[in-house]
């Protein structure tokens, strides 16, 4: 049992607000770095999955409907067959993508976003818009950093 949360049995049919209130009331704050790491592990794992370069492109490619593997490969510039296979498998495992096999010769395999995959599109869009709007600031910061590094190297010799 997770030592950060006390599990409480609730009667069937308990209203969602009541469930949330019990959950919040029973959650304890982490008291040290190890507890904080343990509490953040699920968040870290999900963010690592959804922030992957290929994940974002696959979710985008599937946003307008189901696609076959070959369609995805053509649409996602630069992805290898191995990386696309691994990304699709991870997204399926985590519940963002469904895989439907239609028996035929050769078998037809279609990939589609699940409800959770559809929900993921909005936060990815917000982050993408933020990145697009702020890329010049990132580029400027990188240039300033490179200039400081060059100056430090010059002064070190």
């Amino acid at each position: 049992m997770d030592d950060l949360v006390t599990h409480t049995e609730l009667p069937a049919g308990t209203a969602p607000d009541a469930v949330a209130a019990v959950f919040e009331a029973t959650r304890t704050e982490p008291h040290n770095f190890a507890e904080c790491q343990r509490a953040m592990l699920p968040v870290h794992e999900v963010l690592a999955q959804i922030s992957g370069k290929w994940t974002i492109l696959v979710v985008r490619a599937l946003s307008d409907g189901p696609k076959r593997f070959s369609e995805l490969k053509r649409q996602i510039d630069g992805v290898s067959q191995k990386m696309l296979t691994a990304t699709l498998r991870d997204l399926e495992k985590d519940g963002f993508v469904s895989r439907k096999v239609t028996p035929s010769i050769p078998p037809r395999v279609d990939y589609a976003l699940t409800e959770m995959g559809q929900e993921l599109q909005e936060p990815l869009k917000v982050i993408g818009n933020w990145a697009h709007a702020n890329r010049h600031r990132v580029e400027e910061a990188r240039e300033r950093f490179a200039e400081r590094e060059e100056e430090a190297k010059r002064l070190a010799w």
Side-chain angles (χ1 to χ4, degrees):
M1 174 162 48
D2 186 349
D3 58 345
L4 294 179
V5 177
T6 304
H7 297 279
T8 305
E9 293 297 321
L10 297 172
T14 303
D17 289 342
V19 173
V22 169
F23 180 74
E24 287 304 316
T26 59
R27 180 174 288 285
T28 59
E29 293 296 319
H31 292 96
N32 58 46
F33 185 72
E35 286 180 5
C36 186
Q37 277 188 307
R38 248 191 333 274
M40 291 302 296
L41 185 60
V43 173
H44 172 76
E45 289 173 348
V46 170
L47 288 176
Q49 172 60 31
I50 65 173
S51 67
K53 173 183 180 178
W54 303 117
T55 294
I56 293 168
L57 296 175
V58 167
V59 169
R60 174 66 193 103
L62 292 173
S63 67
D64 56 353
K67 292 203 173 41
R68 296 178 78 173
F69 184 91
S70 57
E71 291 176 283
L72 288 168
K73 178 121 175 43
R74 276 192 305 274
Q75 193 171 346
I76 302 171
D77 201 28
V79 69
S80 69
Q81 183 166 334
K82 180 179 178 179
M83 281 307 304
L84 183 54
T85 299
T87 301
L88 287 166
R89 188 167 289 147
D90 286 343
L91 288 170
E92 182 183 7
K93 175 184 73 178
D94 290 345
F96 295 106
V97 167
S98 65
R99 180 178 184 267
K100 179 183 173 191
V101 179
T102 305
S104 62
I105 298 178
R108 179 184 173 104
V109 180
D110 290 289
Y111 296 91
L113 293 177
T114 61
E115 183 180 336
M116 191 164 57
Q118 294 284 344
E119 293 169 6
L120 179 59
Q121 291 181 91
E122 189 58 34
L124 289 180
K125 184 192 291 186
V126 169
I127 291 169
N129 289 341
W130 182 90
H132 182 73
N134 289 284
R135 75 174 187 270
H136 69 282
R137 294 169 64 194
V138 172
E139 290 168 0
E140 290 168 0
R142 288 176 179 171
E143 289 171 9
R144 287 191 304 272
F145 181 83
E147 289 169 4
R148 286 193 311 269
E149 290 288 298
E150 279 299 314
E151 183 66 15
K153 285 180 187 176
R154 192 180 63 72
L155 293 175
W157 297 100

